[in-house]
Amino acid sequence: MPSASWSTVQLAEFLEVFEVLEMLDAENMTRIAVDRVAAAFDAEVVALVLDETVIRCLGFPADAVPVRLLRSASEVRSSILNAPGIGEVHSVSASVSTAGCTMVVLRAGSPFDREEETLVRSMARALGLAMTATDRLTESRVLAERLSERQYLSDRLSQIQKSISHRAPLQEVMDSITQGAAELLGADVVGLRIVGLGDDGRPIASLAGYPDEGLDHFRSIPLNQGFSGGAFVEGVLVSTGDYAAAARTLGTAPQELIEAAMAAPVHHDGRIVGVLNVASRDVGRVFTPAEQEILLRLADHASLAVTDAAAVHALRDSLEGERFKASHDALTALPNRTTVLEMIEYELHHADPAAPLCVLYIDVDRFKLLNDMYGHSFGDRVLIEVASRLRNAVREEDLVGRLAGDEFVVVAPGISAEAAGALAQRVTLEMTEPLVLDGRGTQVSVSVGVAESAAGLSSEELLGNADVAMYRAKTSGRDCVVSYDVQMRDEMFERADLEQEISLGLKAGEFVPLFQPSLNLATGEVHSLEALVRWNHPTRGQLSPDAFLALAEDTGLIVDIDLCVLDEACRRLAGWTQLHPDLTISVNLSVRHFAHPEIVEFVAEILAKYRLHGSRLWLEITESMVMANNEMTLEILRSLRSLGVRFMVDDFGTGYSSLVYLKRYPIDALKIDREFVDGLGNDLEDEAIVTAIIRLADALGHEVIAEGVETAAQQDWLIQSGCLYAQGFLFSKAISADATEVLLSQALTVENGLL
Ligand code: C2E
Ligand code: MG
Ligand code: MG
C-alpha cells in the first residue's frame, strides 16, 4: 500500500517532468507523462482520451487501441473492465483539462485505492496544467515567431518608409520594395512598375530576382496585360496558385516555371498608377492570406513612395519654376537684369584678356508712346517681337536679356568693339522689318549703345557705359548705334541735372513762348503767329528747344511745357484781340498728348478762360501722329475740332504720310518742311517735292504754308507755284510777346519790315 509519502514522492517526480517543459512540445510531454504514470502505478495501460479519440495510449499497439473501451473507461471514475490481450483490469479516470481530455489508467493487478486514485487525479491535473502551459508556450512560440516575422516585416517597411521620407530617389525606394518583397514572401521574382512619373513617358520599373537585362523588356509590357494586369485594371489584389491556368484563362503566354503569382495595385491620387507583382517557382506554392496582406502593405508603401515622389517632382518643378521666375523676365522669358549682370560678371572674370567683352544696351524708340496709344497688351507684344528679333540678330554665344520696360541688352563675349558695332547695326537692321500685330502695322526702331570691357570695370559699370552710349543714340535722333566714350558719362549726368532743372523751371514759369509770324504772300499780311517755346534759364540765358526738347519728350515733361505755352499764347492772343480780332495763333503739340484725352478738356478750358473761339487756334501736329491712325488720336482731334480748333501738319514731307490717313484726319493745313524750302530756286528735286505738296494740299482742300523761308528767291518761287503762306527768317524770327505786340500795334505787312 503506498504511503502518503510515496504519493508525494511520485507526484514530485512526475512534476519534475514538467520542469523542463520549455524544452518539450506537447507531443513529447504527453508521451513522457503517460510513461511516468504507468510506471508510478505499475499500470498496463495509460491513455489520454479527448472527445471521441484517443490522443495517446500506452499498453496497446498503435493499430489496436480499444478506443471504445478507453472511452467508456474515461467516462467513469473507476471500474473494472476486460481489456483485449490483458483480461480483467481496474480502471481509474481523471480529468486532464477542462477542454475534455481525460486520463485513463488500467491495471490488471490490485485495484486502485483512494490514495492512488487521488494521485492519478493529481497527476492528470498536473499534466493538464503542463499541457495548457505547453499550448500557451507553443502559442507564444508561434506568436513569437510571428512577432519576429512581423518585426522583420515592420523593420523592412520602416526601412522603406525611411527611404521615402529621406527622399531617396524613387528608383531606390522601388528597389528596396521589390527586394523586401522577395525576402518577406520568399518569392522568386518580384516586379514593380509605375507609370506617369518617368521623363520619357515609360514606366519606372524595378525587378528583384531577375537579371538586369530583363528590366527594359519588363518596362515595355503594358501594365494592364497578363496576370498582374488584373490588379492594374481591377484595382484589387489578384493571386493564383496555378499560374499556367490563370495565364491560359487570360489568353496570355505563361511565363515558364512560374507556379504561383500575385499582384497588387499601386495608387496615387485616387488612380491606379502601378503594379507590384510577385511570383514563385515552388511547386504547390500558394500565397497565404498573410502573404497577400504583406504584398498589399508593400504596395501601399509603393503608393506612398509614388505620392511622395510626385510631390517632390511638383516641388522641384515649382522650385525650378521659382528659380526661373527669379532669374527671367516673365514676358519675354529672357534673362532679367540680375542674371545679365551675373553673366557679365562671370564673363569679365573668365574672359580672355585678348578677347574683350562687349555689351549692347538696346532701347526701343518711342515705346512709351506706342504703349500709351495702342494699349499695354499691344506694347507687350511689341516687346516680345523685339526680343525674338534680337535673338535672331545675335550670335549663338551672345546672351540676350531684358533689363526693364523697353530696355534690352546683348552680352557679346570675345568680340572687338568694332565687331560689336557691326552686331549692333545688325540689331537695328533686324528691327526695320515692318511689324504687323493684331492686323495693325507699325514700325519699330531701336537706339543702341555699345560699350567694351576694360580692366577694372565692374559689370554694373560696363552696363552703365553701354546705357550712356544708348542715351547718346537717343539724343542723336534715335534708330542708331553709338559707341561709348568717356565724355558721354558727364553728358549723362548733365542730362539728369537738366531734367531736374526743367521740372523746377516749369514751376518757376521759365518756359515762355516767342512768336514767329507766317504771312500771306499775296497780301503781305500776317496770317498767323506760331508760338515757339524758349526757356529763360536762370544762369544759361534763353535756351532754344534743341537744348531741352528731346529730354522733355523722353521724360514726358513736354506735356507740361506745351500746356504752359498754350496757356500763355492764348493769353497773349486774347490781349491782341481788340486790335486784330481775326488773328490766329499756332501752338506745337507733342505727340504725347494724343495718348490721353485730357488735352481736349484743357484746350476747352483755356479757350473759355481767355474767351477765344476755337477757330483762333491752330494746333501743329506731326506726320507721325497722323500715321499712327489711332482711334484715340482721331477721337481727340475730332473733339478739338468740335471746339473750332484747326490742325496743321508740321514739317510736312519729312514723314511718310499716307494719303488715306491724311484724308481721314480733320486736317486743315500742311506746313512744308524747311528742308525742301531750302532748295527752292536751285534744287529741282526740292522744287518737285514742294510742287507735289502744294498740289496735294490743294486737292485735299488744305491750306499750305512754307516754313523756313530765308531768301527772296524762295519767296518768289513759292508765289509762282501758288503757295499762299510762308514763314521764315526772311520775314521774322521768333520774337518775344512784347516785340510781337509792338509789331502788331504798328502794321502787319512785310513791307513794314518785320525783321
Ligand atoms: P517747328 O515747329 O518746325 O518750328 C520752326 C522752327 O524753325 C523754329 O525753331 C523756328 O525758330 C525755326 N525757323 C523758323 N524760320 C526759320 C528760318 O527761316 N530758318 C531757320 N534756320 N529756322 C527757322 P525753334 O523755335 O528752335 O523750334 C524748333 C522746334 O521745336 C519746332 O519746330 C517745334 O517742333 C519744336 N517746338 C518749339 N516750341 C514748341 C512747343 O511749345 N511745344 C512743342 N511740342 N514743340 C515745340
Ligand atoms: Mg511748328
Ligand atoms: Mg516745322
Side-chain angles (χ1 to χ4, degrees):
M1 166 90 37
S3 66
S5 61
W6 169 83
S7 63
T8 315
V9 170
Q10 288 300 316
L11 188 60
E13 277 180 11
F14 185 71
L15 287 175
E16 270 173 21
V17 174
F18 306 113
E19 281 176 16
V20 287
L21 205 64
E22 274 180 19
M23 296 161 66
L24 297 174
D25 56 14
E27 175 100 348
N28 273 325
M29 189 173 56
T30 51
R31 188 176 52 75
I32 293 169
V34 165
D35 277 356
R36 284 291 171 95
V37 171
F41 297 102
D42 203 15
E44 275 75 25
V45 175
V46 177
L48 295 174
V49 180
L50 179 66
D51 298 329
E52 321 264 304
T53 56
V54 176
I55 55 170
R56 180 151 300 279
C57 181
L58 177 77
F60 291 112
D63 53 352
V65 174
V67 177
R68 280 173 97 210
L69 177 99
L70 292 173
R71 272 186 57 204
S72 57
S74 73
E75 282 160 13
V76 288
R77 276 186 157 217
S78 61
S79 64
I80 297 171
L81 303 165
N82 202 357
I86 304 172
E88 194 185 76
V89 288
H90 298 276
S91 95
V92 178
S93 79
S95 173
V96 174
S97 73
T98 47
C101 184
T102 310
M103 181 193 281
V104 174
V105 184
L106 305 179
R107 189 165 67 194
S110 51
F112 292 94
D113 61 16
R114 283 190 69 129
E115 189 184 350
E116 282 178 317
E117 277 189 29
T118 309
L119 185 61
V120 169
R121 276 196 289 278
S122 300
M123 285 180 165
R125 188 91 195 97
L127 175 63
L129 285 170
M131 278 173 69
T132 320
T134 316
D135 278 354
R136 291 231 178 88
L137 190 72
T138 316
E139 227 172 64
S140 61
R141 227 185 246 145
V142 169
L143 202 68
E145 268 165 33
R146 274 208 213 124
L147 276 177
S148 74
E149 211 169 81
R150 273 204 203 138
Q151 188 56 48
Y152 180 62
L153 173 66
S154 81
D155 281 354
R156 254 309 188 171
L157 293 179
S158 73
Q159 203 177 316
I160 295 167
Q161 235 160 5
K162 219 176 277 170
S163 62
I164 295 171
S165 61
H166 285 176
R167 298 271 141 77
L170 183 61
Q171 186 65 54
E172 213 170 272
V173 178
M174 286 172 65
D175 289 347
S176 104
I177 289 173
T178 49
Q179 205 56 49
E183 284 170 28
L184 287 166
L185 299 169
D188 293 308
V189 182
V190 181
L192 173 59
R193 278 167 300 161
I194 287 157
V195 283
L197 276 179
D199 292 331
D200 57 359
R202 296 175 69 205
I204 304 178
S206 169
L207 268 177
Y210 213 81
D212 280 352
E213 301 86 78
L215 195 64
D216 237 21
H217 172 67
F218 181 56
R219 274 166 56 125
S220 69
I221 304 170
L223 265 74
N224 59 357
Q225 276 185 17
F227 175 72
S228 61
F232 186 76
V233 175
E234 304 292 334
V236 292
L237 179 131
V238 290
S239 180
T240 180
D242 189 350
Y243 181 75
R248 263 196 308 279
T249 314
L250 288 164
T252 54
Q255 244 185 295
E256 262 180 70
L257 302 172
I258 299 291
E259 288 287 323
M262 58 177 174
V266 175
H267 295 88
H268 168 56
D269 212 10
R271 286 175 303 116
I272 301 161
V273 293
V275 178
L276 174 62
N277 56 288
V278 297
S280 171
R281 298 191 186 103
D282 291 355
V283 179
R285 175 75 191 266
V286 175
F287 289 111
T288 64
E291 288 173 323
Q292 295 179 5
E293 192 58 39
I294 290 173
L295 188 73
L296 285 172
R297 297 275 301 275
L298 286 164
D300 279 351
H301 276 71
S303 301
L304 186 69
V306 172
T307 304
D308 191 76
V312 170
H313 249 260
L315 190 73
R316 198 187 55 206
D317 282 358
S318 85
L319 272 178
E320 271 170 15
E322 287 303 321
R323 222 174 288 142
F324 187 85
K325 266 191 229 157
S327 60
H328 287 73
D329 159 49
L331 181 69
T332 60
L334 289 177
N336 61 17
R337 188 184 182 91
T338 318
T339 313
V340 166
L341 281 168
E342 277 170 13
M343 260 304 281
I344 298 178
E345 200 64 52
Y346 176 86
E347 291 291 343
L348 284 175
H349 281 106
H350 295 84
D352 174 0
L357 169 71
C358 285
V359 171
L360 276 58
Y361 203 112
I362 300 144
D363 190 287
V364 181
D365 295 332
R366 300 183 202 280
F367 177 73
K368 182 155 185 350
L369 193 71
L370 212 65
N371 218 20
D372 285 350
M373 280 181 137
Y374 301 131
H376 288 258
S377 75
F378 185 85
D380 282 354
R381 298 187 53 196
V382 168
L383 292 176
I384 291 168
E385 180 62 26
V386 168
S388 123
R389 288 184 182 194
L390 279 175
R391 282 200 207 94
N392 283 341
V394 302
R395 306 168 306 164
E396 208 156 279
E397 58 268 46
D398 300 333
L399 173 93
V400 179
R402 183 180 173 207
L403 297 170
D406 62 342
E407 291 173 6
F408 294 86
V409 67
V410 173
V411 181
I415 192 170
S416 69
E418 204 182 2
L423 178 67
Q425 291 295 351
R426 229 173 33 237
V427 164
T428 56
L429 204 69
E430 190 78 25
M431 301 296 159
T432 54
E433 193 73 18
L435 186 63
V436 182
L437 295 173
D438 301 334
R440 187 194 296 283
T442 189
Q443 191 79 48
V444 173
S445 70
V446 290
S447 300
V448 188
V450 181
E452 190 187 2
S453 64
L457 217 59
S458 73
S459 55
E460 289 272 8
E461 285 164 341
L462 179 57
L463 190 64
N465 289 351
D467 187 10
V468 169
M470 184 282 291
Y471 224 85
R472 172 57 80 83
K474 284 266 172 215
T475 54
S476 331
R478 304 182 175 96
D479 193 13
C480 61
V481 177
V482 170
S483 290
Y484 173 80
D485 78 58
V486 193
Q487 292 150 21
M488 288 178 190
R489 208 158 253 286
D490 303 334
E491 288 170 25
M492 174 102 157
F493 289 127
E494 277 169 28
R495 283 179 68 86
D497 290 345
L498 187 66
E499 186 182 340
Q500 168 80 0
E501 280 185 79
I502 294 174
S503 298
L504 294 172
L506 267 165
K507 287 192 188 99
E510 291 167 9
F511 291 88
V512 291
L514 294 189
F515 298 91
Q516 186 184 31
S518 59
L519 304 174
N520 180 326
L521 292 177
T523 63
E525 286 172 351
V526 171
H527 163 251
S528 185
L529 295 168
E530 178 174 8
L532 293 163
V533 70
R534 295 292 179 269
W535 181 5
N536 291 323
H537 194 277
T539 56
R540 292 161 66 196
Q542 192 172 75
L543 302 178
S544 289
D546 59 3
F548 58 88
L549 214 66
L551 184 68
E553 281 274 5
D554 282 350
T555 56
L557 288 166
I558 187 68
V559 171
D560 288 337
I561 294 176
D562 281 356
L563 298 182
C564 188
V565 169
L566 184 69
D567 189 285
E568 178 63 6
C570 287
R571 189 179 76 83
R572 291 290 184 171
L573 181 67
W576 301 323
T577 299
Q578 253 195 334
L579 266 174
H580 304 281
D582 299 325
L583 186 67
T584 61
I585 201 159
S586 75
V587 174
N588 295 280
L589 272 197
S590 157
V591 66
R592 281 192 177 261
H593 295 281
F594 292 89
H596 311 285
E598 289 94 76
I599 182 70
V600 178
E601 216 174 296
F602 196 86
V603 171
E605 273 174 23
I606 287 181
L607 292 174
K609 183 159 102 181
Y610 299 114
R611 296 166 193 271
L612 292 173
H613 187 262
S615 59
R616 308 275 306 278
L617 178 66
W618 288 90
L619 290 176
E620 297 197 11
I621 58 174
T622 60
E623 273 185 278
S624 58
M625 270 185 248
V626 179
M627 278 300 289
N629 187 30
N630 170 267
E631 281 311 313
M632 189 188 282
T633 307
L634 200 56
E635 188 57 41
I636 291 171
L637 293 179
R638 284 186 180 143
S639 306
L640 289 169
R641 186 43 146 342
S642 68
L643 299 172
V645 174
R646 285 175 292 175
F647 298 98
M648 193 181 283
V649 182
D650 203 358
D651 306 336
F652 193 79
T654 54
Y656 305 90
S657 293
S658 142
L659 295 184
V660 178
Y661 295 166
L662 271 185
K663 223 180 122 193
R664 188 169 178 224
Y665 273 60
I667 289 160
D668 307 278
L670 304 180
K671 202 169 199 178
I672 306 169
D673 193 73
R674 195 175 75 225
E675 191 184 325
F676 309 111
V677 173
D678 236 16
L680 297 181
N682 57 46
D683 186 316
L684 287 177
E685 212 170 288
D686 282 352
E687 288 174 358
I689 292 169
V690 174
T691 308
I693 296 174
I694 295 168
R695 291 221 181 110
L696 177 67
D698 189 44
L700 292 167
H702 299 341
E703 285 182 12
V704 62
I705 299 133
E707 68 177 337
V709 180
E710 293 180 345
T711 66
Q714 290 165 350
Q715 181 189 359
D716 292 344
W717 191 95
L718 286 165
I719 292 169
Q720 294 292 315
S721 306
C723 176
L724 198 54
Y725 305 103
Q727 178 183 356
F729 290 172
L730 177 65
F731 318 113
S732 171
K733 290 195 284 190
I735 52 173
S736 71
D738 290 346
T740 306
E741 194 160 331
V742 171
L743 174 85
L744 290 173
S745 64
Q746 293 167 355
L748 288 175
T749 60
V750 185
E751 282 83 359
N752 288 336
L754 299 179
L755 272 168

